[in-house]
Amino acid sequence: MLFKISSAALRGIEAYLVDVEVDVGLGLPNYVTVGLPDTAVKESKERVRAALKNCGYELAPRKITINLAPADRRKEGSSFDLPIALGLLADMGLFPAERLQDFLFLGELALDGRLKPVRGALSAAILTRRAMFGGLVVPACNAREAALVRELNVFGLESLTHVVRFLRGEESPEPVKFSFDELLRVPEHDVDFKDVRGQFHVKRALEVAAAGGHNILLIGPPGAGKTMLARRVPTILPGMTFDEILEVTQVYSAAGLAPEEGAVTARPFRAPHHTITDAGLIGGGLIPRPGEISLAHRGVLFLDEMPEFRRKVLEDLRQPLEEGRVTISRVNGSTVFPSGFMMVAAMNPCEDVFHGLAREAQECSDSERARYYSRISGPLLDRVDIVVEVPAVAFRDIVSRAEAEASEAIRTRIETARKRQAARFAGCRTRGGRRLYTNSQMGAREVKKFCSVDGECLRLLETAVTRLGLSARAYDRVLKVARTAADLAGEESIRAPHVSEAVQYRMMER
């Protein structure tokens, strides 16, 4: 007989419907899986056989054919174990086969019949609601994650035996519910800006960057506190909205990194090593998976010692920084991953690279300086809104007992500025259809509409363009930063001090 069970597979971070067709018939005993399965799917034969036997269900020697439709898309992972096993059990008549039509099933089987967690449960839950199934059956470990989707019955079960009892009506577990009030609480952090001594102008630059979602580059000698400052940026970012929590958790779920609590409630902070590959940073693989820039979505991507990254890896950042998403193309199609992150990068000035070597002078020659800074291309630097110098900490600041401003106070100002931006951009969308949240996301049309300046500001901008040789893109970014400075000051219009501050952050041009 033929039985059809609904399941799901991932393409990027989105799930699509897979019909697991199980045909059990007469003929020589055989077990074949078709529909472009990968090795993990092919090996499900042994897991399913062992799980059925150890749960007390004897599989008869019959000709078994498993088809995963659509057959022209490659399937990977172990999440089809449960629907395949249910198709074989339905042929034994252990439960009404009609019950299989009401649910979407997802789960990996252990050899003793336990249900083990799988990737993409949240994406499958979104698909289940969209396809209007009666509910979703997943391993208990994935239940809280899938329950983030409202108005969906999610049943988290422990083993294959529990699933059979559930389908027979012998057990009626309550759908898993999520306490959404807990999600929106501001998470506690182990670090705080009050731990940082001195560096007041750098803290101000980070405040502006966080308020407008601007990318920032910190340049200073070793031990000046660049990494310390960067790791505290998430503590001043506003708490995530429910939609942002859903977006970020979906990425982590697709990568197999969803937390035990079921949801990612704190803004991500990712700090990849400079030896990372293109695929590790951007995402990739035969069936593409999210990279570090997607795992930093709605959070912070920290690139320490930026010139040490391979040039091609850095160049791959240009599209994600500009568009807030990355497209990975393969022969069988393209996959889009979200990458709306705030980039914080750090590097040493040229002279510190040679510090400690046998040289009469520690200062770089012009050729050494040009060669060192050329590791970061001009087009990439154009996409960095703020470049600020981080000097060595003065002795008086090191021994000072005065407590610096706490992250909570800075975050309050940033939240106020973000609310002004949210009101300003209500109803605004980019050409790609994405919503605008922060000033850094403005396109040319929004810059023209929301960043108008008076005569005094224009004269300042003309001087900056003439003396610093700012490109047209850099000019727009100065206006965006000035708009953020005005929002932090509670001003409706951009004024000369805001423009002046934004120009000062173009250190690389100087």
Side-chain angles (χ1 to χ4, degrees), residues 395-414:
F395 178 75
R396 64 177 181 276
D397 292 325
I398 295 176
V399 299
S400 174
R401 292 177 176 266
E403 192 170 273
E405 188 174 28
S407 294
E408 185 178 358
I410 302 173
R411 185 173 63 245
T412 300
R413 293 196 296 269
I414 290 173

Side-chain angles (χ1 to χ4, degrees), residues 451-468:
C451 298
S452 57
V453 292
D454 57 20
E456 185 180 1
C457 293
L458 280 174
R459 287 190 292 274
L460 278 171
L461 288 166
E462 182 182 7
T463 303
V465 170
T466 303
R467 294 186 180 179
L468 301 180

Side-chain angles (χ1 to χ4, degrees), residues 291-345:
E292 287 292 330
I293 63 172
S294 296
L295 295 173
H297 184 57
R298 301 298 179 200
V300 175
L301 178 71
F302 177 47
L303 303 181
D304 200 5
E305 303 297 342
M306 193 179 188
E308 300 302 320
F309 286 79
R310 277 174 282 190
R311 187 181 176 96
K312 186 179 184 307
V313 172
L314 293 178
E315 290 304 300
D316 287 341
L317 287 171
R318 286 162 59 177
Q319 182 209 7
L321 286 174
E322 196 71 25
E323 300 180 7
R325 60 182 180 179
V326 60
T327 304
I328 299 173
S329 298
R330 293 289 181 268
V331 174
N332 58 350
S334 298
T335 304
V336 178
F337 291 111
S339 59
F341 59 89
M342 172 186 168
M343 185 181 76
V344 179

